[in-house]
Amino acid sequence: MKRIILFSIGICALIGSSALAGDYKGVVPAPKPTVECPFGTGWYVALEGGANVYQDVATSRDFNFSNGDNVRISRDENIGGFGGIKVGYVFGTGTFRPTIEEDLFYNGINTDIHVKLNNVEVAHGSNLINSGAFMTNF
């Protein structure tokens, strides 16, 4: 029954949209540029940055020992940040335009680790993981 209703609604929508279309007039095409490629040749610089809202460092682990002790190691991920800069140059004005680019990128993540023995915290540590990338793209 649902298929018949959905099919009927779809057919009505198609018929209604074609009936409302009326007399269609095409859009006037944009004028041709005076130069083959009037933009995009030369130097460019880009800045990028933001927050790492979710980082999946790892999951928690439980260790059960024969004497009844339970050890739980859990890791927490906090909000980190990233940022970078790109500098490049575009050659030529044709369809194929070679480019050379240098990309400098930084990523930082705060992490915490908790070690519990029988649900009592016995150790806690904090760490800042920093990484950087220096890439040259052609």
Side-chain angles (χ1 to χ4, degrees):
M1 184 68 177
K2 289 183 181 180
R3 288 185 184 178
I4 294 172
I5 293 172
L6 291 175
F7 182 73
S8 300
I9 291 171
I11 293 297
C12 290
L14 287 173
I15 292 172
S17 64
S18 64
L20 293 175
D23 187 23
Y24 175 73
K25 295 182 180 178
V27 178
V28 176
K32 292 185 179 181
T34 56
V35 185
E36 184 178 339
C37 183
F39 57 90
T41 302
W43 290 98
Y44 65 90
V45 176
L47 297 174
E48 54 193 355
N52 289 327
V53 179
Y54 178 77
Q55 294 290 327
D56 188 9
V57 176
T59 59
S60 299
R61 300 281 311 260
D62 289 316
F63 300 98
N64 296 316
F65 296 99
S66 59
N67 63 357
D69 288 337
N70 179 12
V71 175
R72 179 176 179 80
I73 300 174
S74 60
R75 295 177 268 298
D76 296 331
E77 303 89 20
N78 300 319
I79 295 177
F82 67 90
I85 185 169
K86 292 183 182 189
V87 178
Y89 189 84
V90 178
F91 300 93
T93 59
T95 302
F96 176 74
R97 299 184 303 162
T99 303
I100 185 168
E101 175 183 83
E102 184 65 32
D103 189 0
L104 311 167
F105 188 79
Y106 163 79
N107 189 16
I109 308 166
N110 292 319
T111 61
D112 296 323
I113 189 166
H114 306 277
V115 179
K116 292 183 178 180
L117 175 62
N118 296 328
N119 291 327
V120 176
E121 188 170 83
V122 294
H124 174 83
S126 295
N127 189 21
L128 177 61
I129 301 172
N130 294 309
S131 64
F134 304 97
M135 298 174 283
T136 301
N137 304 313
F138 297 101

